[in-house]
């Protein structure tokens, strides 16, 4: 009854990459084409992206066109500065988790070894991304990081890595330094710092302040999500 409105996302057994791959294939056959993954599985005591142990999972995700979704804090850890720091410190630094995760995806060569794999960061915002890409490209270009890859980090990221925003004015204003095609608007319901039940009003205000035209608004609100998650399979069209 909810087809086209309720889109499924698969929870995988993180403790076994091969079991996870089997679950992705099983659920894709039932119509689920996205999985929840950790931004940093090593923090949970599992293999890191550098280990190669997740390759069986990424193979199946590519095969089934399944998108890998990671939520901020899905490593069960949030950045902070010291034990005395209040929650406000951690909340204001949370995008650092996405920065670190993206570096892992790139410098583990996972993105370059699986060239059609798609990933998305939920609640990550996007304002940090232009500098992160600039810095990773610099490290790659200068050959100072001990990782050799045929293409630059930014070439690997743009077109395959989506970021979700709900209050990131700077990220929207700097959209041309990354790609407006790679930004999704989220409501972050039901978190206390989300936009529900005023999401439509806040989106309008943010997009207006960022100087976005109608085509850009439609992309961020709708068509980018269709591309990211392959929602045309659910009868959703641009």
């Amino acid at each position: 009854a909810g087809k086209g409105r309720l889109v499924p996302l698969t929870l995988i057994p993180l403790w076994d990459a091969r079991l996870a791959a089997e679950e992705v294939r099983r659920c894709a056959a039932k119509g689920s084409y996205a999985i929840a993954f950790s931004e940093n599985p090593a923090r949970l005591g599992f293999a890191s992206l550098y280990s190669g142990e997740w390759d069986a999972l990424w193979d199946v995700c590519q095969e089934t066109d399944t998108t890998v979704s990671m939520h901020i804090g899905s490593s069960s850890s949030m950045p902070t500065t010291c034990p005395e720091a209040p929650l406000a410190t951690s909340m204001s630094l949370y995008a650092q988790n996405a920065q670190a995760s993206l570096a892992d995806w790139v410098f583990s060569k996972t993105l370059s070894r699986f060239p059609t794999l798609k990933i998305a960061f939920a609640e990550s915002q996007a304002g940090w991304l232009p500098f992160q890409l600039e810095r990773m490209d610099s490290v790659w270009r200068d050959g100072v990081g001990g990782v050799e890859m045929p293409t630059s980090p930014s070439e690997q990221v743009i077109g395959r890595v989506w970021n979700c925003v709900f209050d990131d004015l700077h990220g929207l204003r700097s959209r041309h330094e990354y790609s407006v095609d790679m930004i999704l608007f989220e409501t972050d319901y039901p978190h206390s710092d989300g936009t529900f039940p005023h999401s439509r009003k806040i989106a309008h205000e943010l997009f207006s302040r960022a100087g976005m035209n109608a085509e850009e608004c439609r992309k961020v609100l709708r068509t980018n999500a269709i591309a990211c998650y392959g929602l045309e399979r659910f009868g959703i069209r641009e």
Side-chain angles (χ1 to χ4, degrees):
K3 184 177 181 180
R5 295 183 61 84
L6 300 177
V7 178
L9 178 144
T10 298
L11 299 180
I12 58 172
L14 280 172
W15 57 89
D16 189 314
R18 294 199 175 276
L19 282 179
E22 292 174 10
E23 184 68 352
V24 169
R25 185 175 282 112
R26 183 183 77 88
C27 291
K30 292 165 66 71
S32 180
Y33 304 104
I35 64 169
F37 191 69
S38 173
E39 65 205 353
N40 186 350
R43 287 283 181 91
L44 299 173
F46 304 127
S48 74
L49 265 67
Y50 298 92
S51 69
E53 291 189 27
W54 297 104
D55 286 5
L57 176 60
W58 311 143
D59 273 329
V60 175
C61 286
Q62 276 201 150
E63 173 192 323
T64 58
D65 191 20
T66 293
T67 303
V68 181
S69 289
M70 294 159 287
H71 191 277
I72 289 294
S74 55
S75 59
S76 291
S77 61
M78 293 296 285
T80 189
T81 56
C82 62
E84 295 79 19
L87 178 61
T89 301
S90 180
M91 291 182 68
S92 64
L93 295 174
Y94 68 95
Q96 289 182 0
N97 276 17
Q99 289 179 266
S101 183
L102 182 62
D104 281 346
W105 278 92
V106 169
F107 291 124
S108 67
K109 301 184 181 180
T110 303
L111 287 183
S112 59
R113 288 186 294 110
F114 297 90
T116 63
L117 190 65
K118 299 185 296 185
I119 69 175
F121 289 104
E123 203 183 345
S124 64
Q125 315 303 341
W128 54 271
L129 194 53
F131 172 74
Q132 186 67 29
L133 291 179
E134 179 183 306
R135 180 58 183 162
M136 290 195 299
D137 279 355
S138 176
V139 169
W140 169 79
R141 183 181 60 250
D142 296 342
V144 297
V147 177
E148 294 184 6
M149 299 180 295
T151 57
S152 70
S154 58
E155 289 178 284
Q156 298 174 41
V157 168
I158 295 176
R160 299 173 55 203
V161 179
W162 282 263
N163 290 75
C164 298
V165 305
F166 62 86
D167 66 353
D168 186 1
L169 179 58
H170 175 70
L172 294 173
R173 283 177 170 166
S174 60
R175 62 195 179 277
H176 300 303
E177 297 177 36
Y178 173 41
S179 172
V180 72
D181 294 333
M182 310 308 296
I183 303 172
L184 310 179
F185 182 78
E186 65 173 311
T187 64
D188 200 39
Y189 174 83
H191 289 180
S192 59
D193 61 347
T195 62
F196 181 85
H198 308 294
S199 303
R200 185 185 296 269
K201 176 177 179 291
I202 290 173
H204 183 271
E205 292 173 351
L206 277 173
F207 297 172
S208 295
R209 292 174 66 190
M212 294 168 59
N213 60 36
E215 180 185 3
E216 291 175 321
C217 293
R218 183 172 179 81
K219 284 183 175 183
V220 173
L221 289 170
R222 183 176 177 87
T223 58
N224 292 349
I226 295 173
C228 176
Y229 290 103
L231 299 184
E232 68 279 351
R233 292 173 288 197
F234 298 93
I236 302 172
R237 302 289 180 237
E238 293 188 5

